[in-house]
Amino acid sequence: MIILLTGASHTGKTRWAQKLSEKYKFPVLSLDLLKMGLIRSGNTMLTAEDDEELEKYLWPIVREMIKTAIENEQNLIVEGAYIPFDWKKDFTSRYRQQIRFCCLVMSEDYINNRFTDIKKYANVIEKRLDDEWFTKERALAENRKNLRLCKKHDCPLFLIDRGYPNQLNIF
């Protein structure tokens, strides 16, 4: 089984991937770690701010890793913002049967009422060296975009409106 977990920055992707890993004993592939490894090793001239280009660069690699994991009957959680919303087009039905997708989306009310808390919990799993770029306006825009793309591509989403649940049910 492959779990694809995506969402805008600061929605809790890494935290939920960790929780799912603990519950199901699946390994986690962090696309942020892969991104930084490629950038720091000089294997790409892209920077951490090149989001659209990074998705185009990373997805073909990750897509083939997912196929290999399925073929080898391995479980894997892939978490990160670089999973395209039209991911289904890259897999036959045989592969899609083994993949669960979920996008974490924060509602506008949640962001407007709890932005201070969102920033406060940004370092629960990852240690962010510089978080000044993450503004309420950016959070609102990114979550609006992801909500629109989920609807456009008929992707499952978890709407964070009043708070986080105790469990994230993917299956």
Side-chain angles (χ1 to χ4, degrees):
M1 178 64 56
I2 306 297
I3 298 172
L4 302 179
L5 186 58
T6 193
S9 184
H10 291 68
T11 54
K13 298 177 297 296
T14 306
R15 178 175 177 258
W16 279 110
Q18 176 103 17
K19 286 182 163 285
L20 290 168
S21 177
E22 291 167 4
K23 179 176 182 177
Y24 296 111
K25 309 300 185 225
F26 290 6
V28 176
L29 171 61
S30 165
L31 297 185
D32 278 345
L33 292 178
L34 178 59
K35 166 189 78 176
M36 292 312 297
L38 290 165
I39 290 170
R40 288 181 171 182
S41 67
N43 281 292
T44 181
M45 297 305 295
L46 296 171
T47 69
E49 290 79 33
D50 296 327
D51 287 339
E52 287 183 35
E53 294 86 358
L54 281 163
E55 181 179 302
K56 291 175 189 170
Y57 181 70
L58 293 173
W59 181 244
I61 298 165
V62 173
R63 175 191 68 217
E64 297 308 315
M65 292 172 72
I66 291 167
K67 288 178 183 176
T68 302
I70 291 170
E71 291 160 1
N72 289 315
E73 299 180 5
Q74 296 171 315
N75 299 313
L76 181 64
I77 299 166
V78 179
E79 71 88 8
Y82 306 108
I83 300 168
F85 287 88
D86 63 349
W87 66 272
K88 291 178 191 175
K89 72 175 176 40
D90 293 325
F91 299 95
T92 64
S93 63
R94 177 179 151 245
Y95 289 109
R96 286 193 307 266
Q97 291 173 0
Q98 297 298 315
I99 300 172
R100 299 294 175 268
F101 175 97
C102 185
C103 181
L104 301 177
V105 178
M106 292 178 176
S107 73
E108 291 193 17
D109 283 344
Y110 186 85
I111 294 167
N112 283 321
N113 294 325
R114 300 202 178 159
F115 188 73
T116 303
D117 289 336
I118 294 167
K119 292 277 284 193
K120 184 170 99 176
Y121 291 109
N123 290 315
V124 168
I125 301 290
E126 297 173 320
K127 302 301 178 224
R128 299 174 190 266
L129 300 177
D130 177 15
D131 205 29
E132 293 302 313
W133 60 269
F134 186 71
T135 63
K136 184 188 290 189
E137 293 72 26
R138 182 165 182 159
L140 289 164
E142 286 182 5
N143 281 275
R144 275 187 213 118
K145 176 184 173 188
N146 284 356
L147 180 60
R148 180 180 52 78
L149 289 169
C150 279
K151 290 178 180 179
K152 177 181 177 181
H153 295 284
D154 194 30
C155 293
L157 66 94
F158 182 83
L159 184 64
I160 302 159
D161 189 38
R162 301 200 189 287
Y164 286 90
N166 291 330
Q167 293 185 22
L168 185 62
N169 293 320
I170 296 292
F171 300 106

